[in-house]
Amino acid sequence: MIDILSSASWREFRGEPNNKGMNLTTHLASVEDASGKLHNCYVKLCPQNWPSPITEAIGWQLIRALNLPAPDFAALIMVPLDRLRHSMKLDQHWLNHSEALAFCVSEVNGKPITNSWSWLATLRQKGAYKKYEVAGICAFDYWVNNKDRNTGNLLLKQNGEQVAIDNEYILYDQLWKGRFGFEIIEKTILVEAKNHLNIKEFNKFKLAVASHGKNHASAMNATRGDLSALIFTLIPDAGSAQSIWDAIDGFLTARAEINWLSNELGVIV
Ligand SMILES: Nc1ncnc2c1ncn2[C@@H]1O[C@H](COP(=O)(O)OP(=O)(O)O)[C@@H](O)[C@H]1O
Ligand SMILES: [Mg+2]
């Protein structure tokens, strides 16, 4: 199971990133893992009762199990808010808490390829959809119902590899939709590709995406025990944990079936 670290593991504030994204609590910190190794991490506090710790942890573990590029280290961590407040302003929402659960993930040395979402529109980026891992991330997003794969959530490393970060809005219909007073405007690689590729290129891309579907069942099988342990750890009420786990497991397992993705995309692989 992904590590759940105590506040003693939040060792040192390392700054606020230039690009914080939507969550204004995001900061950099040195985090000590269970074996004592230090990681320079992006740390994002999770509002109480939001599914973020579950979705981020599941997303990171599945992407790793699919052998797609991912940050080396991730964990859930209790952040000592009194110490964090010494270095960074937190809004009143956090006032009554001395600690808060956060998702932390090691820094990837890469940059979003553009600031705007229309990255496939420009020639420079046109090669992006031809990359193995971009098709793999697109397949993963479709499988897990990720509604927010914006360009800030794909980092381009110097070696040309695209790394998926921020899997917060996976399992959208199961865990998010209609529950928190806001709706995410759907952003997916597949829709972008459809808008910006010609029919031949798009069909080729769909084939590449569909061929990744055959990896989903084994990734699910490899992580099922860890994912279920996480749900039962984070949700103290055993009855609620069981029903949430059954919904997640049923959803992901059915959509990992060998021909499911190719049927959805209307291609034969
Ligand atoms: N592991 C990481 N390595 C490098 N940059 C990161 C990492 N995690 C987050 N970032 C940077 O911080 C930004 C916001 O983080 P993200 O997890 O996407 O939060 P949000 O939910 O607010 O979009 C990202 O767009 C990226 O620029
Ligand atoms: Mg993001």
Side-chain angles (χ1 to χ4, degrees), residues 186-198:
E186 178 170 271
K187 294 198 178 77
T188 66
I189 296 173
L190 195 66
V191 169
E192 271 303 298
K194 188 171 186 186
N195 290 339
H196 291 111
L197 301 179
N198 66 38

Side-chain angles (χ1 to χ4, degrees), residues 129 135 190 193-211 262 265-269:
Y129 70 90
L190 195 66
K194 188 171 186 186
N195 290 339
H196 291 111
L197 301 179
N198 66 38
I199 289 176
K200 202 172 154 206
E201 287 170 329
F202 183 57
N203 280 337
K204 217 169 158 192
F205 181 64
K206 277 204 298 189
L207 265 176
V209 174
S211 72
S262 49
L265 298 176
V267 295
I268 297 169
V269 287

Side-chain angles (χ1 to χ4, degrees), residues 21 44 148 150 152-153 166:
K44 191 156 83 164
D148 191 31
N150 63 63
N153 298 340
D166 189 0

Side-chain angles (χ1 to χ4, degrees), residues 13 17 23 32-33 49 78 89 107 120 143 155 179 181 186 212 222 234 255 264:
F13 179 79
N23 186 326
E32 183 175 357
D33 71 18
N49 300 322
M78 293 306 293
K89 265 194 178 161
E107 182 170 22
L120 278 167
W143 172 32
L155 300 179
R179 296 184 189 186
E186 178 170 271
H212 280 269
L234 288 181
R255 292 161 70 106
E264 282 283 308

Side-chain angles (χ1 to χ4, degrees), residues 17 19-23 26 42 44 56 71 105-110 112 148 150 152-153 155 165-166 168-169:
N19 169 15
K20 271 188 188 249
M22 288 187 295
N23 186 326
T26 298
Y42 276 75
K44 191 156 83 164
E56 288 277 23
V105 59
S106 57
E107 182 170 22
V108 174
N109 192 4
D148 191 31
N150 63 63
N153 298 340
L155 300 179
I165 56 154
D166 189 0
E168 188 168 4
Y169 290 103

